[in-house]
PDB file of all heavy atoms in Angstrom:
ATOM      1  N   PRO A   2      27.686   7.621  13.849  1.00  0.00           N
ATOM      2  CA  PRO A   2      29.031   8.035  14.318  1.00  0.00           C
ATOM      3  C   PRO A   2      30.105   6.996  14.062  1.00  0.00           C
ATOM      4  O   PRO A   2      31.286   7.335  13.996  1.00  0.00           O
ATOM      5  CB  PRO A   2      28.819   8.280  15.816  1.00  0.00           C
ATOM      6  CG  PRO A   2      27.596   7.500  16.166  1.00  0.00           C
ATOM      7  CD  PRO A   2      26.720   7.545  14.954  1.00  0.00           C
ATOM      8  N   ASN A   3      29.710   5.719  13.904  1.00  0.00           N
ATOM      9  CA  ASN A   3      30.667   4.663  13.607  1.00  0.00           C
ATOM     10  C   ASN A   3      30.589   4.215  12.154  1.00  0.00           C
ATOM     11  O   ASN A   3      31.153   3.177  11.793  1.00  0.00           O
ATOM     12  CB  ASN A   3      30.447   3.469  14.531  1.00  0.00           C
ATOM     13  CG  ASN A   3      30.829   3.774  15.963  1.00  0.00           C
ATOM     14  OD1 ASN A   3      31.823   4.451  16.211  1.00  0.00           O
ATOM     15  ND2 ASN A   3      30.036   3.306  16.913  1.00  0.00           N
ATOM     16  N   ASP A   4      29.865   4.980  11.351  1.00  0.00           N
ATOM     17  CA  ASP A   4      29.730   4.691   9.924  1.00  0.00           C
ATOM     18  C   ASP A   4      29.117   3.315   9.669  1.00  0.00           C
ATOM     19  O   ASP A   4      29.393   2.680   8.645  1.00  0.00           O
ATOM     20  CB  ASP A   4      31.087   4.804   9.221  1.00  0.00           C
ATOM     21  CG  ASP A   4      30.928   5.045   7.724  1.00  0.00           C
ATOM     22  OD1 ASP A   4      29.874   5.564   7.325  1.00  0.00           O
ATOM     23  OD2 ASP A   4      31.846   4.688   6.971  1.00  0.00           O
ATOM     24  N   ALA A   5      28.299   2.833  10.610  1.00  0.00           N
ATOM     25  CA  ALA A   5      27.597   1.566  10.408  1.00  0.00           C
ATOM     26  C   ALA A   5      26.545   1.737   9.329  1.00  0.00           C
ATOM     27  O   ALA A   5      26.013   2.832   9.112  1.00  0.00           O
ATOM     28  CB  ALA A   5      26.953   1.103  11.709  1.00  0.00           C
ATOM     29  N   ALA A   6      26.205   0.656   8.632  1.00  0.00           N
ATOM     30  CA  ALA A   6      25.193   0.705   7.582  1.00  0.00           C
ATOM     31  C   ALA A   6      23.840   1.093   8.184  1.00  0.00           C
ATOM     32  O   ALA A   6      23.488   0.665   9.295  1.00  0.00           O
ATOM     33  CB  ALA A   6      25.096  -0.641   6.884  1.00  0.00           C
ATOM     34  N   LEU A   7      23.093   1.909   7.444  1.00  0.00           N
ATOM     35  CA  LEU A   7      21.805   2.394   7.919  1.00  0.00           C
ATOM     36  C   LEU A   7      20.667   1.874   7.046  1.00  0.00           C
ATOM     37  O   LEU A   7      20.809   1.779   5.818  1.00  0.00           O
ATOM     38  CB  LEU A   7      21.767   3.925   7.910  1.00  0.00           C
ATOM     39  CG  LEU A   7      22.755   4.640   8.833  1.00  0.00           C
ATOM     40  CD1 LEU A   7      22.651   6.148   8.622  1.00  0.00           C
ATOM     41  CD2 LEU A   7      22.505   4.280  10.285  1.00  0.00           C
ATOM     42  N   LYS A   8      19.554   1.563   7.701  1.00  0.00           N
ATOM     43  CA  LYS A   8      18.310   1.242   7.004  1.00  0.00           C
ATOM     44  C   LYS A   8      17.329   2.381   7.282  1.00  0.00           C
ATOM     45  O   LYS A   8      17.051   2.684   8.448  1.00  0.00           O
ATOM     46  CB  LYS A   8      17.732  -0.086   7.481  1.00  0.00           C
ATOM     47  CG  LYS A   8      16.423  -0.461   6.804  1.00  0.00           C
ATOM     48  CD  LYS A   8      15.871  -1.770   7.347  1.00  0.00           C
ATOM     49  CE  LYS A   8      14.550  -2.125   6.675  1.00  0.00           C
ATOM     50  NZ  LYS A   8      13.976  -3.395   7.209  1.00  0.00           N
ATOM     51  N   VAL A   9      16.817   3.010   6.232  1.00  0.00           N
ATOM     52  CA  VAL A   9      15.920   4.149   6.374  1.00  0.00           C
ATOM     53  C   VAL A   9      14.547   3.774   5.819  1.00  0.00           C
ATOM     54  O   VAL A   9      14.435   3.356   4.657  1.00  0.00           O
ATOM     55  CB  VAL A   9      16.463   5.387   5.639  1.00  0.00           C
ATOM     56  CG1 VAL A   9      15.500   6.561   5.773  1.00  0.00           C
ATOM     57  CG2 VAL A   9      17.838   5.762   6.188  1.00  0.00           C
ATOM     58  N   THR A  10      13.521   3.904   6.639  1.00  0.00           N
ATOM     59  CA  THR A  10      12.145   3.711   6.187  1.00  0.00           C
ATOM     60  C   THR A  10      11.357   4.973   6.524  1.00  0.00           C
ATOM     61  O   THR A  10      11.588   5.608   7.565  1.00  0.00           O
ATOM     62  CB  THR A  10      11.487   2.494   6.851  1.00  0.00           C
ATOM     63  OG1 THR A  10      11.479   2.685   8.268  1.00  0.00           O
ATOM     64  CG2 THR A  10      12.228   1.216   6.511  1.00  0.00           C
ATOM     65  N   VAL A  11      10.439   5.341   5.627  1.00  0.00           N
ATOM     66  CA  VAL A  11       9.631   6.549   5.817  1.00  0.00           C
ATOM     67  C   VAL A  11       8.169   6.195   5.578  1.00  0.00           C
ATOM     68  O   VAL A  11       7.835   5.532   4.582  1.00  0.00           O
ATOM     69  CB  VAL A  11      10.065   7.671   4.863  1.00  0.00           C
ATOM     70  CG1 VAL A  11       9.251   8.941   5.117  1.00  0.00           C
ATOM     71  CG2 VAL A  11      11.559   7.964   5.017  1.00  0.00           C
ATOM     72  N   THR A  12       7.301   6.619   6.496  1.00  0.00           N
ATOM     73  CA  THR A  12       5.866   6.392   6.341  1.00  0.00           C
ATOM     74  C   THR A  12       5.135   7.714   6.227  1.00  0.00           C
ATOM     75  O   THR A  12       5.553   8.734   6.794  1.00  0.00           O
ATOM     76  CB  THR A  12       5.295   5.599   7.523  1.00  0.00           C
ATOM     77  OG1 THR A  12       5.512   6.339   8.734  1.00  0.00           O
ATOM     78  CG2 THR A  12       5.942   4.226   7.635  1.00  0.00           C
ATOM     79  N   ALA A  13       4.038   7.677   5.480  1.00  0.00           N
ATOM     80  CA  ALA A  13       3.121   8.817   5.388  1.00  0.00           C
ATOM     81  C   ALA A  13       1.770   8.352   5.911  1.00  0.00           C
ATOM     82  O   ALA A  13       1.184   7.409   5.369  1.00  0.00           O
ATOM     83  CB  ALA A  13       3.007   9.295   3.945  1.00  0.00           C
ATOM     84  N   SER A  14       1.275   8.959   6.980  1.00  0.00           N
ATOM     85  CA  SER A  14       0.014   8.521   7.589  1.00  0.00           C
ATOM     86  C   SER A  14      -0.962   9.689   7.684  1.00  0.00           C
ATOM     87  O   SER A  14      -0.562  10.861   7.782  1.00  0.00           O
ATOM     88  CB  SER A  14       0.273   7.927   8.975  1.00  0.00           C
ATOM     89  OG  SER A  14       0.894   8.876   9.817  1.00  0.00           O
ATOM     90  N   HIS A  15      -2.254   9.361   7.642  1.00  0.00           N
ATOM     91  CA  HIS A  15      -3.286  10.376   7.807  1.00  0.00           C
ATOM     92  C   HIS A  15      -4.527   9.716   8.406  1.00  0.00           C
ATOM     93  O   HIS A  15      -4.756   8.512   8.234  1.00  0.00           O
ATOM     94  CB  HIS A  15      -3.630  11.040   6.469  1.00  0.00           C
ATOM     95  CG  HIS A  15      -4.194  10.076   5.452  1.00  0.00           C
ATOM     96  ND1 HIS A  15      -3.388   9.331   4.619  1.00  0.00           N
ATOM     97  CD2 HIS A  15      -5.476   9.748   5.133  1.00  0.00           C
ATOM     98  CE1 HIS A  15      -4.140   8.577   3.840  1.00  0.00           C
ATOM     99  NE2 HIS A  15      -5.423   8.816   4.132  1.00  0.00           N
ATOM    100  N   PRO A  16      -5.379  10.488   9.127  1.00  0.00           N
ATOM    101  CA  PRO A  16      -6.576   9.924   9.750  1.00  0.00           C
ATOM    102  C   PRO A  16      -7.656   9.640   8.713  1.00  0.00           C
ATOM    103  O   PRO A  16      -7.792  10.347   7.709  1.00  0.00           O
ATOM    104  CB  PRO A  16      -7.018  11.013  10.728  1.00  0.00           C
ATOM    105  CG  PRO A  16      -6.477  12.278  10.150  1.00  0.00           C
ATOM    106  CD  PRO A  16      -5.189  11.912   9.467  1.00  0.00           C
ATOM    107  N   VAL A  17      -8.417   8.597   8.990  1.00  0.00           N
ATOM    108  CA  VAL A  17      -9.505   8.196   8.118  1.00  0.00           C
ATOM    109  C   VAL A  17     -10.737   7.966   8.974  1.00  0.00           C
ATOM    110  O   VAL A  17     -10.652   7.348  10.049  1.00  0.00           O
ATOM    111  CB  VAL A  17      -9.154   6.912   7.339  1.00  0.00           C
ATOM    112  CG1 VAL A  17     -10.346   6.440   6.514  1.00  0.00           C
ATOM    113  CG2 VAL A  17      -7.953   7.149   6.445  1.00  0.00           C
ATOM    114  N   ILE A  18     -11.893   8.477   8.524  1.00  0.00           N
ATOM    115  CA  ILE A  18     -13.167   8.226   9.212  1.00  0.00           C
ATOM    116  C   ILE A  18     -13.960   7.231   8.384  1.00  0.00           C
ATOM    117  O   ILE A  18     -14.170   7.435   7.183  1.00  0.00           O
ATOM    118  CB  ILE A  18     -13.973   9.525   9.403  1.00  0.00           C
ATOM    119  CG1 ILE A  18     -13.161  10.509  10.272  1.00  0.00           C
ATOM    120  CG2 ILE A  18     -15.324   9.246  10.024  1.00  0.00           C
ATOM    121  CD1 ILE A  18     -13.834  11.857  10.409  1.00  0.00           C
ATOM    122  N   ALA A  19     -14.420   6.164   9.006  1.00  0.00           N
ATOM    123  CA  ALA A  19     -15.149   5.117   8.300  1.00  0.00           C
ATOM    124  C   ALA A  19     -16.200   4.521   9.211  1.00  0.00           C
ATOM    125  O   ALA A  19     -16.183   4.726  10.429  1.00  0.00           O
ATOM    126  CB  ALA A  19     -14.179   4.042   7.817  1.00  0.00           C
ATOM    127  N   LYS A  20     -17.133   3.825   8.598  1.00  0.00           N
ATOM    128  CA  LYS A  20     -18.141   3.135   9.390  1.00  0.00           C
ATOM    129  C   LYS A  20     -17.482   2.068  10.239  1.00  0.00           C
ATOM    130  O   LYS A  20     -16.574   1.372   9.785  1.00  0.00           O
ATOM    131  CB  LYS A  20     -19.183   2.478   8.493  1.00  0.00           C
ATOM    132  CG  LYS A  20     -20.143   3.448   7.832  1.00  0.00           C
ATOM    133  CD  LYS A  20     -21.187   2.694   7.031  1.00  0.00           C
ATOM    134  CE  LYS A  20     -22.180   3.657   6.381  1.00  0.00           C
ATOM    135  NZ  LYS A  20     -23.218   2.902   5.618  1.00  0.00           N
ATOM    136  N   CYS A  21     -17.938   1.946  11.453  1.00  0.00           N
ATOM    137  CA  CYS A  21     -17.427   0.893  12.331  1.00  0.00           C
ATOM    138  C   CYS A  21     -18.100  -0.429  11.982  1.00  0.00           C
ATOM    139  O   CYS A  21     -19.280  -0.464  11.582  1.00  0.00           O
ATOM    140  CB  CYS A  21     -17.719   1.220  13.799  1.00  0.00           C
ATOM    141  SG  CYS A  21     -16.859   2.692  14.365  1.00  0.00           S
ATOM    142  N   ARG A  22     -17.361  -1.457  12.144  1.00  0.00           N
ATOM    143  CA  ARG A  22     -17.968  -2.770  11.990  1.00  0.00           C
ATOM    144  C   ARG A  22     -18.927  -3.032  13.125  1.00  0.00           C
ATOM    145  O   ARG A  22     -18.609  -2.793  14.284  1.00  0.00           O
ATOM    146  CB  ARG A  22     -16.882  -3.851  11.962  1.00  0.00           C
ATOM    147  CG  ARG A  22     -15.991  -3.803  10.732  1.00  0.00           C
ATOM    148  CD  ARG A  22     -14.995  -4.927  10.776  1.00  0.00           C
ATOM    149  NE  ARG A  22     -14.116  -4.908   9.601  1.00  0.00           N
ATOM    150  CZ  ARG A  22     -13.146  -5.791   9.401  1.00  0.00           C
ATOM    151  NH1 ARG A  22     -12.939  -6.749  10.315  1.00  0.00           N
ATOM    152  NH2 ARG A  22     -12.408  -5.721   8.317  1.00  0.00           N
ATOM    153  N   SER A  23     -20.126  -3.528  12.780  1.00  0.00           N
ATOM    154  CA  SER A  23     -21.113  -3.819  13.836  1.00  0.00           C
ATOM    155  C   SER A  23     -20.703  -5.050  14.602  1.00  0.00           C
ATOM    156  O   SER A  23     -20.163  -6.005  14.037  1.00  0.00           O
ATOM    157  CB  SER A  23     -22.496  -4.024  13.213  1.00  0.00           C
ATOM    158  OG  SER A  23     -22.447  -5.106  12.291  1.00  0.00           O
ATOM    159  N   GLN A  24     -20.872  -4.988  15.882  1.00  0.00           N
ATOM    160  CA  GLN A  24     -20.536  -6.123  16.731  1.00  0.00           C
ATOM    161  C   GLN A  24     -21.660  -7.150  16.670  1.00  0.00           C
ATOM    162  O   GLN A  24     -22.825  -6.826  16.478  1.00  0.00           O
ATOM    163  CB  GLN A  24     -20.332  -5.652  18.173  1.00  0.00           C
ATOM    164  CG  GLN A  24     -19.183  -4.683  18.319  1.00  0.00           C
ATOM    165  CD  GLN A  24     -19.015  -4.255  19.753  1.00  0.00           C
ATOM    166  OE1 GLN A  24     -19.718  -4.748  20.640  1.00  0.00           O
ATOM    167  NE2 GLN A  24     -18.104  -3.329  19.974  1.00  0.00           N
ATOM    168  N   ARG A  25     -21.304  -8.374  16.854  1.00  0.00           N
ATOM    169  CA  ARG A  25     -22.303  -9.441  16.836  1.00  0.00           C
ATOM    170  C   ARG A  25     -23.331  -9.219  17.945  1.00  0.00           C
ATOM    171  O   ARG A  25     -22.979  -8.946  19.076  1.00  0.00           O
ATOM    172  CB  ARG A  25     -21.641 -10.802  17.018  1.00  0.00           C
ATOM    173  CG  ARG A  25     -20.821 -11.248  15.805  1.00  0.00           C
ATOM    174  CD  ARG A  25     -20.285 -12.639  16.016  1.00  0.00           C
ATOM    175  NE  ARG A  25     -19.528 -13.091  14.848  1.00  0.00           N
ATOM    176  CZ  ARG A  25     -18.970 -14.300  14.746  1.00  0.00           C
ATOM    177  NH1 ARG A  25     -19.095 -15.145  15.758  1.00  0.00           N
ATOM    178  NH2 ARG A  25     -18.328 -14.621  13.665  1.00  0.00           N
ATOM    179  N   GLY A  26     -24.598  -9.417  17.578  1.00  0.00           N
ATOM    180  CA  GLY A  26     -25.669  -9.265  18.571  1.00  0.00           C
ATOM    181  C   GLY A  26     -26.136  -7.845  18.731  1.00  0.00           C
ATOM    182  O   GLY A  26     -27.050  -7.575  19.513  1.00  0.00           O
ATOM    183  N   HIS A  27     -25.529  -6.893  18.042  1.00  0.00           N
ATOM    184  CA  HIS A  27     -25.929  -5.479  18.149  1.00  0.00           C
ATOM    185  C   HIS A  27     -26.298  -4.962  16.781  1.00  0.00           C
ATOM    186  O   HIS A  27     -25.518  -5.099  15.822  1.00  0.00           O
ATOM    187  CB  HIS A  27     -24.788  -4.637  18.736  1.00  0.00           C
ATOM    188  CG  HIS A  27     -24.468  -4.984  20.157  1.00  0.00           C
ATOM    189  ND1 HIS A  27     -25.139  -4.432  21.220  1.00  0.00           N
ATOM    190  CD2 HIS A  27     -23.551  -5.856  20.664  1.00  0.00           C
ATOM    191  CE1 HIS A  27     -24.654  -4.937  22.353  1.00  0.00           C
ATOM    192  NE2 HIS A  27     -23.690  -5.805  22.027  1.00  0.00           N
ATOM    193  N   ARG A  28     -27.481  -4.409  16.685  1.00  0.00           N
ATOM    194  CA  ARG A  28     -27.918  -3.798  15.434  1.00  0.00           C
ATOM    195  C   ARG A  28     -27.863  -2.280  15.577  1.00  0.00           C
ATOM    196  O   ARG A  28     -28.277  -1.739  16.593  1.00  0.00           O
ATOM    197  CB  ARG A  28     -29.342  -4.228  15.093  1.00  0.00           C
ATOM    198  CG  ARG A  28     -29.439  -5.726  14.763  1.00  0.00           C
ATOM    199  CD  ARG A  28     -30.876  -6.046  14.386  1.00  0.00           C
ATOM    200  NE  ARG A  28     -30.988  -7.457  14.062  1.00  0.00           N
ATOM    201  CZ  ARG A  28     -32.138  -8.036  13.692  1.00  0.00           C
ATOM    202  NH1 ARG A  28     -33.243  -7.291  13.619  1.00  0.00           N
ATOM    203  NH2 ARG A  28     -32.171  -9.320  13.422  1.00  0.00           N
ATOM    204  N   PRO A  29     -27.404  -1.603  14.565  1.00  0.00           N
ATOM    205  CA  PRO A  29     -27.377  -0.138  14.653  1.00  0.00           C
ATOM    206  C   PRO A  29     -28.793   0.427  14.628  1.00  0.00           C
ATOM    207  O   PRO A  29     -29.681  -0.101  13.961  1.00  0.00           O
ATOM    208  CB  PRO A  29     -26.598   0.279  13.411  1.00  0.00           C
ATOM    209  CG  PRO A  29     -26.739  -0.865  12.466  1.00  0.00           C
ATOM    210  CD  PRO A  29     -26.849  -2.098  13.299  1.00  0.00           C
ATOM    211  N   THR A  30     -28.993   1.468  15.400  1.00  0.00           N
ATOM    212  CA  THR A  30     -30.304   2.127  15.426  1.00  0.00           C
ATOM    213  C   THR A  30     -30.484   2.949  14.170  1.00  0.00           C
ATOM    214  O   THR A  30     -29.508   3.261  13.470  1.00  0.00           O
ATOM    215  CB  THR A  30     -30.413   3.038  16.663  1.00  0.00           C
ATOM    216  OG1 THR A  30     -29.443   4.066  16.541  1.00  0.00           O
ATOM    217  CG2 THR A  30     -30.176   2.257  17.945  1.00  0.00           C
ATOM    218  N   ARG A  31     -31.760   3.268  13.902  1.00  0.00           N
ATOM    219  CA  ARG A  31     -32.037   4.038  12.698  1.00  0.00           C
ATOM    220  C   ARG A  31     -31.530   5.460  12.822  1.00  0.00           C
ATOM    221  O   ARG A  31     -31.248   6.135  11.830  1.00  0.00           O
ATOM    222  CB  ARG A  31     -33.542   4.041  12.414  1.00  0.00           C
ATOM    223  CG  ARG A  31     -34.071   2.650  12.028  1.00  0.00           C
ATOM    224  CD  ARG A  31     -35.571   2.743  11.735  1.00  0.00           C
ATOM    225  NE  ARG A  31     -36.082   1.416  11.369  1.00  0.00           N
ATOM    226  CZ  ARG A  31     -37.370   1.179  11.065  1.00  0.00           C
ATOM    227  NH1 ARG A  31     -38.241   2.197  11.086  1.00  0.00           N
ATOM    228  NH2 ARG A  31     -37.771  -0.025  10.744  1.00  0.00           N
ATOM    229  N   THR A  32     -31.420   5.928  14.024  1.00  0.00           N
ATOM    230  CA  THR A  32     -31.042   7.331  14.210  1.00  0.00           C
ATOM    231  C   THR A  32     -29.542   7.521  14.405  1.00  0.00           C
ATOM    232  O   THR A  32     -29.037   8.616  14.222  1.00  0.00           O
ATOM    233  CB  THR A  32     -31.771   7.913  15.436  1.00  0.00           C
ATOM    234  OG1 THR A  32     -31.466   7.122  16.570  1.00  0.00           O
ATOM    235  CG2 THR A  32     -33.269   7.899  15.202  1.00  0.00           C
ATOM    236  N   ARG A  33     -28.796   6.475  14.789  1.00  0.00           N
ATOM    237  CA  ARG A  33     -27.342   6.627  15.033  1.00  0.00           C
ATOM    238  C   ARG A  33     -26.546   5.815  14.021  1.00  0.00           C
ATOM    239  O   ARG A  33     -26.879   4.664  13.740  1.00  0.00           O
ATOM    240  CB  ARG A  33     -26.996   6.160  16.446  1.00  0.00           C
ATOM    241  CG  ARG A  33     -27.598   7.019  17.547  1.00  0.00           C
ATOM    242  CD  ARG A  33     -27.138   6.504  18.894  1.00  0.00           C
ATOM    243  NE  ARG A  33     -25.669   6.569  18.992  1.00  0.00           N
ATOM    244  CZ  ARG A  33     -24.980   5.990  19.977  1.00  0.00           C
ATOM    245  NH1 ARG A  33     -25.607   5.312  20.925  1.00  0.00           N
ATOM    246  NH2 ARG A  33     -23.679   6.105  20.001  1.00  0.00           N
TER     247      ARG A  33
END
């Protein structure tokens, strides 16, 4: 409304499924 300079940024995001990083001291089971 005051004709001030504008900065415009646009993002495109989407969900991703990936293996979780194993925590120290925990080993993943063979079944999970």
Side-chain angles (χ1 to χ4, degrees):
N3 291 321
D4 202 24
L7 297 176
K8 179 182 179 181
V9 179
T10 60
V11 182
T12 60
S14 59
H15 62 274
V17 175
I18 299 175
K20 287 183 179 181
C21 295
R22 292 182 180 180
S23 59
Q24 298 180 4
R25 289 184 179 182
H27 294 274
R28 293 182 180 180
T30 64
R31 293 181 180 180
T32 57
R33 294 183 60 191

